[in-house]
Amino acid sequence: VTIQQDVLRARVSFGRSRKYLAEASGLTEGKIWRIEKKGNASADEAAGLQPVLDRIFANEALLDAPPVRRPAVPGPAATPASSSPAPPPPAAVGVDWPTLQAIAAEVGDHEIERITEGPDPTAGFRLYSNSELQAAADCPRRWWLGWYRGMRLKAESPVGVLAIGDRIHRALKLWYLPAPHPRVDPRTALEILITQDWTKITRQLGADSPELGAVQKRFQDEATLERAMIEGYVQWLTETGADSELEIIGAEQYVEVDLAQLEDTGIRRPSKLIAKYDVRARRKSDGVRLFIDHKTVGDLTRPRKTLHMNEQMLHYLFIEWLDTPEGEKRCDGALYNMLRKVRRSTAAKPPFYDRVEVHHNEIELQNYKLKLIGRIRRVEDMEDALDAGGVHQLVTPPRPTGDCAWRCEFFAVCPMFDDGSRAEDMLKMYYRESNPLEYYQTGLSEGELTGE
Ligand code: SF4
């Protein structure tokens, strides 16, 4: 057994965080990350870490502080600057507010994010995600604001298409977990998330805010829709046995591949491709490995028509293709798991759920490689031109489409860069600088389960 395997065992089977291991052993979190990820440990590092691991396996307490933080889930009474209690969340029939808080606190103990990995920011590689490359290709201005400058909205809308998709996604994350991690029924998970999200909204707006009433109505409507979607999904799984053939082998897994293994790319900086898989699974009947991507969709037919061209799937499969050593079994395809955004009333026509398997052959992967290289080189060109003081309108011009309004977080500020308005002041007020890779750095955040 290597020290890398022991670290993984401590993290996955004993739920110990990198921070915990670092504090107990006197190493840094970055070193723990390296040992866990690459298996490289100096003799001194191994000597410091091994006794800690042995004691974990012997179930001894190592630190005074408990390894699992359990912040109190904020409730309506905790809403600051308000004498009146916050309005209750739109609870489901039969589930009350204190019960939900108790469940949330309990589920917070699972610490699911601890089993995930993320990019090592200290390794000196330029890391490319599919979303960055898509943004750079679709709209250079969106790439300039979101990736080159790292701007993100300070507060994302708590309601709307993206919020619905996000909550459904988070509810499903807690269900598709590999053994031995405890799984949470998506209906329960959704109630917890609705409660937490509503608590956050009341805290942000203030319980006396005049806006709260309007947001509450919309939030409540959307929560009803989400419940119908998730309840129907669980029912659909029971009726069809859609999951019975799947063994979950990974959740929220971060992967990266070094592009140095490709020859003559003309890419100038040390670069890696990165991705995070929602779920990895193995089909029991034939051993085929798949990754699953959950999507909330308006209808089930349109995505089917273009799935074979969906570059997110291609990007993931390409990474698998590069990452699998010769002779080992590769991931064979993607399972696109669709949930329709409908309340399933008597007027709504089924089907409401569908799954499509997507496969790509070697020629498609080879050609994707060329497209990818071209895109990365263009990003490098844009970065160099901007670093050299190039004017953003010249280097990264906007490319507006009909989707800007719902899809782009810079929709409001974008035209201000060209009409003489104080775009930079608006950016300061409503956006924050962030690390565009933060999504890849954790899986399920503690906040998703604890409300922080
Ligand atoms: S609003 Fe449209 S044009 Fe402007 S940055 Fe966003 S995607 Fe590009």
Side-chain angles (χ1 to χ4, degrees):
V1 177
T2 63
I3 192 147
Q4 182 183 25
Q5 287 167 325
D6 272 353
V7 169
L8 279 169
R9 187 170 162 229
R11 304 246 301 117
V12 175
S13 304
F14 287 77
R16 302 299 159 150
S17 65
R18 285 189 201 114
K19 185 164 182 250
Y20 181 81
L21 293 176
E23 283 174 9
S25 64
L27 302 180
T28 62
E29 280 185 70
K31 285 179 180 168
I32 300 290
W33 185 93
R34 173 183 22 90
I35 295 166
E36 178 190 334
K37 185 79 184 151
K38 321 261 181 208
N40 305 335
S42 69
D44 282 352
E45 288 166 351
L49 192 52
Q50 196 60 59
V52 170
L53 296 167
D54 291 343
R55 286 168 61 195
I56 288 172
F57 302 148
N59 273 327
E60 288 176 28
L62 290 170
L63 299 174
D64 291 340
V68 174
R69 281 193 292 133
R70 188 198 286 196
V73 176
T79 306
S82 169
S83 52
S84 346
V93 177
V95 183
D96 61 24
W97 171 256
T99 308
L100 287 173
Q101 287 191 59
I103 296 170
E106 205 175 290
V107 176
D109 269 359
H110 293 167
E111 288 283 282
I112 293 155
E113 68 96 7
R114 302 299 187 205
I115 63 170
T116 62
E117 299 174 349
D120 177 0
T122 62
F125 283 92
R126 177 68 168 85
L127 304 171
Y128 290 101
S129 64
N130 178 57
S131 29
E132 174 173 6
L133 293 171
Q134 289 297 329
D138 290 347
C139 176
R141 174 165 291 172
R142 188 153 71 90
W143 171 85
W144 171 64
L145 287 168
W147 277 266
Y148 185 79
R149 298 188 56 177
M151 305 306 289
R152 287 283 177 275
L153 272 171
K154 281 182 185 165
E156 282 165 17
S157 172
V159 291
V161 178
L162 297 179
I164 294 170
D166 179 57
R167 213 160 11 246
I168 294 284
H169 213 88
R170 286 187 284 151
L172 292 176
K173 273 184 195 177
L174 303 171
W175 177 242
Y176 288 99
L177 293 172
H181 295 285
R183 304 169 81 188
V184 182
D185 184 309
R187 292 165 296 191
T188 308
L190 181 65
E191 289 310 322
I192 294 166
L193 295 168
I194 287 171
T195 304
Q196 289 177 352
D197 289 354
W198 181 247
T199 305
K200 264 187 224 167
I201 294 167
T202 52
R203 197 163 49 178
Q204 276 165 4
L205 292 180
D208 300 327
S209 158
E211 268 177 79
L212 199 60
V215 174
Q216 185 179 23
K217 167 83 182 71
R218 180 118 184 245
F219 187 89
Q220 193 147 13
D221 285 349
E222 292 181 356
T224 306
L225 167 67
E226 291 156 18
R227 287 184 184 117
M229 290 169 71
I230 287 289
E231 274 166 23
Y233 182 70
V234 173
Q235 201 179 324
W236 179 73
L237 290 180
T238 311
E239 285 166 5
T240 61
D243 278 355
S244 59
E245 265 290 281
L246 299 175
E247 178 199 354
I248 306 305
I249 55 176
E252 295 295 300
Q253 280 188 342
Y254 168 77
V255 286
E256 59 177 29
V257 285
D258 191 341
L259 290 177
Q261 62 184 287
L262 304 178
E263 287 170 9
D264 301 326
T265 60
I267 295 171
R268 299 189 286 278
R269 307 192 228 299
S271 301
K272 285 183 176 178
L273 288 184
I274 62 171
K276 193 157 79 172
Y277 301 124
D278 284 353
V279 184
R280 275 177 144 159
R282 186 183 294 113
R283 199 160 46 210
K284 292 174 190 165
S285 56
D286 54 10
V288 161
R289 282 172 50 198
L290 300 159
F291 59 82
I292 306 175
D293 209 50
H294 307 303
K295 295 285 177 204
T296 51
V297 295
D299 72 85
L300 298 173
T301 43
R302 240 178 327 163
R304 264 185 176 271
K305 288 184 187 153
T306 52
L307 263 178
H308 62 291
M309 296 158 68
N310 181 310
E311 289 208 336
Q312 186 187 1
M313 304 294 122
L314 200 46
H315 186 85
Y316 289 177
L317 285 170
F318 182 72
I319 288 180
E320 284 284 322
W321 188 58
L322 290 185
D323 196 34
T324 312
E326 208 52 51
E328 273 187 28
K329 200 162 171 49
R330 292 197 163 92
C331 177
D332 296 285
L335 203 56
Y336 204 76
N337 190 35
M338 292 185 281
L339 294 86
R340 233 177 100 195
K341 278 182 274 185
V342 281
R343 287 175 188 233
R344 298 182 301 114
S345 64
T346 43
K349 277 198 189 141
F352 304 117
Y353 307 96
D354 196 8
R355 279 183 187 175
V356 184
E357 249 184 70
V358 184
H359 299 275
H360 291 287
N361 64 33
E362 185 137 350
I363 298 171
E364 288 172 289
L365 293 168
Q366 288 285 6
N367 285 323
Y368 182 67
K369 177 177 80 176
L370 299 178
K371 289 185 269 182
L372 199 74
I373 290 169
R375 282 178 193 158
I376 290 177
R377 284 180 8 194
R378 277 193 288 281
V379 169
E380 287 188 330
D381 290 345
M382 290 194 292
E383 277 177 346
D384 288 350
L386 291 167
D387 288 350
V391 179
H392 71 83
Q393 284 93 344
L394 196 66
V395 181
T396 52
R399 204 171 286 154
T401 69
D403 291 339
C404 287
W406 70 270
R407 204 173 165 205
C408 179
E409 63 186 313
F410 304 110
F411 177 62
V413 72
C414 171
M416 295 174 69
F417 281 100
D418 302 317
D419 67 6
S421 305
R422 289 159 52 200
E424 289 297 335
D425 287 343
M426 171 117 167
L427 264 191
K428 264 190 215 129
M429 191 173 298
Y430 293 106
Y431 296 79
R432 65 185 167 92
E433 266 184 53
S434 73
N435 173 8
L437 297 174
E438 67 192 17
Y439 165 76
Y440 295 90
Q441 253 138 9
T442 57
L444 282 170
S445 69
E446 287 171 66
E448 280 175 298
L449 290 176
T450 59
E452 278 298 284

